[in-house]
Amino acid sequence: MSVQGPQQVLELAKVSRTFGQGTTAVAALRDVDLTVNAGEFVAVMGPSGSGKSSLLALAGGLDRPTSGSVFVESTPLAGLGLNALARLRRRAVGYVFQDFNLVPTLSAAENVALPLELDGVPARKAHRQAVDALRQVGIPEQAQRFMDEMSGGQQQRVAIARAIVGSRRLILADEPTGALDSTTGHGVMEVLRSRADAGAAVMLVTHEARHAAWADRVVFIRDGRIVDEATAMHNPAVLLAPAG
Amino acid sequence: MALDVAPVPHGRWHSFRLALRMARRDISRHRGRSLLIILLILLPVAGMTGAAALAQSMQETPAERVQYQLGSTQARFRSMPASNAETVQDPVLETATMTRNFTNDPDFKPRDPRDAIPAGYEVLTESQLTLTIRTGASDVSGSDVPVMAKAVDALNPAFTGKYTLLEGRPAAARDEILVSPGALERFGIRLGDRLTTADGTFAVVGTLRDATYSDGNPILFLKPGQAAMDSPAAQGSPLGETMYYLVGSEPVRWDQIRDLNRSGIAVLSRAVALDPPVASGAAEGPGTMPAAGYVAGVLIAALALLEVGLLAGAAFAVGAKRQVRELALLAASGAEAPTVRAVVTAAGLWLGTIAVMAGAVLGAGGAAAVVGVTRHLGSVRFPGFHLDILPTVAAMAMGLLACFLAAVVPARQVARQAVLGALKSGRAPAVRGPWPARVGGGLLVLAITFLAAGHTLGLSGDLDARAARIPLVAALLTGGAVLAVAALVLLTGTFVKVLTARTAWMPLPLRMAARDSARNRSRTVPAVAAVLAAATLASAAMVPLRQPDGGGKTHAHVGRAGKPGLPAAGNRTGPRHRNGPRPGHRPGCGGRGAAA
């Protein structure tokens, strides 16, 4: 009987990212190795400027590494053109941003259905799937509302619904609770946790230990390098203390 | 297993539908900006449509000419100025004649039209003469005033549509006359007053509208045989021509007219004018705008819409910059670059479609209103409302194209941006290589070549050679002008960069403004280029206005060698009288254009 290991959804191998050239060059990431498996919730923590958001951008194909390789569901992103990367984002990667980043000209359901419609799913079918996704995050009744008619927490739930709609299994969340009060933020973390429990790979960038505590694994970054990893049972706050 | 990242069938169409939806909603969310763009496109399209419709409405159609000249009669016979039997008239504009033989034939004896009238018709006459009004002491001039008069049974039912009684009653007694409203005004009289002429005193019993003259012209209408007709003054009038109107059921045919032409008689026939012979020049006669008019119109319209496109482009650029974050989000959600571009260009399509349709309706409606009001006020400047489809559709197409192109440039810039940077900062600085300056330089050289070639070809050779080259010269000059403007637009960025490079000596506000212009060239360039285009447009518009009115005149009475044709009536853009060229002088009458 063969035993299969956990399925890797995201893999970063020796990934470096440098901005600028010559004397003005800034290394945002240096030789980062990281994998996130299906059903796993990984939190990335670190001080400002440590490279957390750069890591997330590389993982989602929004940016390209200076060196190293990124794989999403075993697909190497290096070989993909811009349009193929766009298709990968809408089929495999869900983003949740700190400031929601919903399209104001689209209703909640249309925002959620956006990746599906871009991928050629008929509008009616995409709308049904979008409402299902909104139901999973607890706000199906908000489907026809526009952004300026919703609270911050509701908007973030819409953003999460957009990240999970369809068959996507990688959810990348960049400080999704940063613009929310603690109660609402707690609700958002519950949703992300439930998605991971349902089989999605979730990578959360945060600098709040209480949110990192929801994760299965916490990765600590400082000056572009992964300096430590811990399970959620540790107290991550001590690792955020200034270096030295 | 690796992910499938292949495109889905019809995915582009789904994306475009989404882009249309987003663009439509973006338009309704930003109504001020959208309205500005719509107005930028709408106004020139309305102006061009309206101008084209008005210009076309000044051209008399054969049906209108028949109604206004003949009423319900079958034909009109009149003398034709001819020096031999080879002179041929136009089937619609019978006073326009042409011949291959200009020699004076001493044996040629023109017949009196009265003697050439076929049997079977009732004949009505219309004579024109000059009467002298003896003004009273209150008149400033205090002298005798010559005034045009017509001796005609104007209210005969056969003249329905040609003459209309406006006020009062028909003249019954021998000392009663009708006058035009302009005569009442000119001589300060009212209905019932008496008007003293050198040939007698008449009571004015009504006002009459002559469909061939504006109401403002002072005209007296007498009946045939009324006293003044026999006076020496009337007999000696240079306008003393009598025309004969045939009332009957039998149409006068073109072959009859050709026979009558050989006798020095010109005929306006209802049947022939409404269905002119194919070989005649009637197809180019009344009712069509001269080709040169189209060329000039297209040139001005193209430059106007180029300017509009630049201004609208600046508005789109500002809008696209504000939309950068939204578009970047769309890209982060998996939209490919064409989809991102489509959102901005779809806005151009929506706005352009709305603008050109509203512009065409507004222009055509405005022109119809102008024509209607003008005709209601008694002017004959516009024989009727004629909407010319070709320039209208051309203006709409050019407006839509201008709007679309205005949206394409910022759309490309937005789509080219780094998604991540736009998401973080909401700003996507456009990175431009040196190609606009290089292409602009090349286009400028090409434009100068075109213009020089057009100028040289337009001025060299004899008249016939120049006439044959008119389309080529027009194309070279039009193309050169458009290329020159395009070159200037492409070079504007370089100009702005150079002009704002050394600003350290400037006061702070000017320095900041200059550097802001240089940093945001995507909106600076269209605005500066629009001013350049406006100057070019103004110059282009001034050129035709400065031209002497000679283009059409060279074609009148000129036939092709070895192939007699009929004169084109394309030079009738500004005749003083709807009835075509007339010999002699009309004292006391400004013609139809005078009061309009």
Side-chain angles (χ1 to χ4, degrees), chain B residues 324-413:
Chain B
V324 159
R325 193 179 182 84
E326 185 179 329
L327 296 170
L329 179 66
L330 194 64
S333 300
E336 294 146 274
T339 306
V340 176
R341 278 200 301 272
V343 173
V344 182
T345 48
L349 282 177
W350 277 118
L351 293 173
T353 304
I354 293 169
V356 299
M357 293 185 74
V361 169
L362 193 67
V370 168
V371 170
V373 170
T374 306
R375 286 197 62 77
H376 179 72
L377 294 175
S379 170
V380 294
R381 181 171 292 276
F382 301 106
F385 175 65
H386 311 140
L387 182 61
D388 200 346
I389 296 299
L390 182 61
T392 301
V393 171
M396 291 176 73
M398 284 195 288
L400 191 58
L401 184 65
C403 200
F404 179 73
L405 291 179
V408 161
V409 176
R412 285 179 62 85
Q413 288 180 351

Side-chain angles (χ1 to χ4, degrees), chain B residues 204-426:
Chain B
V204 177
V205 296
T207 56
L208 192 72
R209 173 170 290 168
D210 183 340
T212 60
Y213 286 95
S214 291
D215 286 353
N217 294 306
I219 308 173
L220 310 184
F221 297 95
L222 301 89
K223 285 199 168 180
Q226 209 164 352
M229 279 300 294
D230 306 323
S231 73
Q235 293 293 328
S237 165
L239 284 176
E241 181 194 13
T242 297
M243 294 181 285
Y244 301 89
Y245 291 83
L246 278 57
V247 183
S249 57
E250 197 65 25
V252 177
R253 301 182 312 275
W254 179 239
D255 58 326
Q256 291 176 284
I257 293 174
R258 295 297 296 268
D259 285 341
L260 289 162
N261 286 168
R262 292 186 193 97
S263 302
I265 297 168
V267 178
L268 172 62
S269 162
R270 171 181 297 277
V272 172
L274 293 178
D275 185 18
V278 176
S280 80
E284 299 169 12
T288 58
M289 194 184 286
Y294 273 121
V295 172
V298 167
L299 171 61
I300 292 173
L303 291 173
L305 284 164
L306 177 63
E307 184 191 348
V308 165
L310 290 168
L311 287 170
F316 272 114
V318 172
K321 275 188 178 297
R322 290 182 179 167
Q323 217 181 352
V324 159
R325 193 179 182 84
E326 185 179 329
L327 296 170
L329 179 66
L330 194 64
S333 300
E336 294 146 274
T339 306
V340 176
R341 278 200 301 272
V343 173
V344 182
T345 48
L349 282 177
W350 277 118
L351 293 173
T353 304
I354 293 169
V356 299
M357 293 185 74
V361 169
L362 193 67
V370 168
V371 170
V373 170
T374 306
R375 286 197 62 77
H376 179 72
L377 294 175
S379 170
V380 294
R381 181 171 292 276
F382 301 106
F385 175 65
H386 311 140
L387 182 61
D388 200 346
I389 296 299
L390 182 61
T392 301
V393 171
M396 291 176 73
M398 284 195 288
L400 191 58
L401 184 65
C403 200
F404 179 73
L405 291 179
V408 161
V409 176
R412 285 179 62 85
Q413 288 180 351
V414 168
R416 207 168 42 195
Q417 69 181 322
V419 173
L420 190 60
L423 278 175
K424 282 182 174 173
S425 64

Side-chain angles (χ1 to χ4, degrees), chain B residues 63 103 118 128 131 138 167 264 349 442 526 545 555 559 563:
Chain B
T103 57
Q128 292 196 21
L131 293 182
S138 61
E167 273 187 290
L349 282 177
L545 295 178
H555 296 88
K563 186 181 176 186

